[in-house]
Amino acid sequence: MSARLRQLAREPLAHFVAAGAALFALDRAVHGRPVDALPAPAVCASSAAPTAPGPVVVDAGLRASVARAFEATEGRPPDARELERAVSSWVEDEVLFREGVRLGLERDDPAVRRRVAVKLLAVYRAGLALPAPTEPELRAHHEAHRDRWDKPALVDFTQVFVSGKGADAEARARELLARLSSGAEPSSLGDTYSGGRRYRLRPVAELREAFGADFADGLEQAPLGRWHERRSPAGLHLVRIEKRTPGERPSFEEVRGDVAADLGVERSERAIRARVQDLIRRAEVRERP
């Protein structure tokens, strides 16, 4: 990050202007494209109040940014007239944005306030420079959260579905179970089920969410190749387990990269949360009856 960007990153006003720039822009178009595709309005690096943010500067850098945004949207560079039109649109949006901030319009809309807050968090996150975790830290994180990298046991099965739960459904299920156990072809039997008839490589936990506990409990111990009955809120399921794939617990070395990424996210979120809490302390939040 350049010294200039580091300076801007330290300016609270700069954060607000950068985060909120697109929020107060008009829905202008450059060949049918929204102004959000253009660069965000310029940030004044001074600490002046929003009522005096300094001049709107249109220089070579701004024109280049507008041209890049146009090309990213249109798939080609702008010609001279298109570039001037896009720059003019940017200037109008910048002026409108500054006036909106001067009038305090951002304070009247909860959705705008939330979007600015979210964008500020993104600014903080992008500016984080955390040290790389040590080997002991990585191993400790892996040990504390091993289940995140465990590979669950999987099952393959075929089902024949019987809708309903009453006596008629029970009788139909018994009849179908007898036919299936005698070798009947399942493809032509039973009722239509939205989830299908054949399931392959499905985690039992996923099946518990889809079918309920009555269906999933004991599924990993059910005999292979034999039809049996299971229940769900939707009805009765005649199920034949065809294959089981045992779960695995990868070693630390096998998932080291994933552990590092996971720990990085966790540490980043802790750092962001600490920064937010610091902002809250400095804001001197006061509660009144």
Side-chain angles (χ1 to χ4, degrees):
M1 181 184 290
S2 68
R4 170 67 168 167
L5 290 178
R6 283 195 296 270
Q7 178 186 359
L8 290 180
R10 290 193 293 267
E11 294 286 341
L13 175 59
H15 285 312
F16 174 80
V17 176
L23 304 180
F24 304 101
L26 295 176
D27 288 332
R28 301 191 174 277
V30 178
H31 290 284
R33 302 294 184 175
V35 74
D36 285 349
L38 296 176
V43 176
C44 176
S46 73
S47 59
T51 53
V56 176
V57 178
V58 177
D59 56 14
L62 185 279
R63 290 179 181 275
S65 295
V66 171
R68 285 194 298 270
F70 184 100
E71 184 170 0
T73 302
E74 299 293 331
R76 60 175 177 81
D79 61 28
R81 180 176 295 182
E82 290 168 334
L83 179 58
E84 287 309 309
R85 187 183 301 128
V87 169
S88 294
S89 179
W90 183 92
V91 169
E92 290 183 23
D93 293 332
E94 171 71 7
V95 171
L96 287 169
F97 166 68
R98 293 186 182 198
E99 182 65 8
V101 171
R102 187 186 71 80
L103 296 175
L105 300 183
E106 79 284 358
R107 295 191 293 271
D108 299 333
D109 189 331
V112 169
R113 292 173 65 248
R114 181 58 186 163
R115 287 187 64 188
V116 171
V118 168
K119 289 195 174 187
L120 180 56
L121 290 176
V123 170
Y124 285 161
R125 190 169 287 109
L128 284 177
L130 299 175
T134 65
E135 188 74 8
E137 287 173 333
L138 287 175
R139 289 184 177 276
H141 186 72
H142 173 251
E143 189 61 33
H145 307 287
R146 290 186 68 100
D147 58 319
R148 295 181 184 178
W149 298 282
D150 285 351
K151 296 180 180 179
L154 307 174
V155 294
D156 293 21
F157 67 91
T158 297
Q159 70 156 345
V160 171
F161 176 62
V162 177
S163 61
K165 300 179 181 179
D168 289 345
E170 296 277 1
R172 287 183 61 215
R174 286 195 298 271
E175 177 191 354
L176 289 174
L177 181 59
R179 293 174 62 185
L180 290 166
S181 298
S182 297
E185 171 58 42
S187 60
S188 61
L189 301 179
D191 301 322
T192 300
Y193 186 73
S194 60
R197 188 180 296 273
R198 302 182 68 195
Y199 290 75
R200 297 294 177 264
L201 298 174
R202 295 299 181 91
V204 174
E206 177 185 302
L207 296 173
R208 180 172 281 103
E209 291 182 6
F211 291 90
D214 287 343
F215 182 96
D217 287 349
L219 198 61
E220 294 175 89
Q221 291 77 40
L224 289 173
R226 289 172 51 188
W227 290 96
H228 65 284
E229 181 182 305
R230 291 188 170 269
R231 299 171 182 266
S232 79
L236 304 173
H237 304 256
L238 306 175
V239 175
R240 181 179 64 195
I241 307 296
E242 291 155 357
K243 180 182 176 182
R244 289 196 185 90
T245 303
E248 297 180 28
R249 170 155 282 190
S251 67
F252 170 75
E253 287 73 19
E254 291 176 286
V255 295
R256 190 181 191 284
D258 292 337
V259 173
D262 189 73
L263 179 56
V265 170
E266 189 173 293
R267 294 173 68 189
S268 295
E269 293 307 313
R270 283 202 302 264
I272 295 297
R273 180 51 47 193
R275 192 160 187 178
V276 171
Q277 291 302 314
D278 183 59
L279 287 175
I280 292 173
R281 284 191 295 271
R282 286 192 282 146
E284 298 182 0
V285 178
R286 298 176 183 176
E287 295 187 11
R288 294 176 179 172

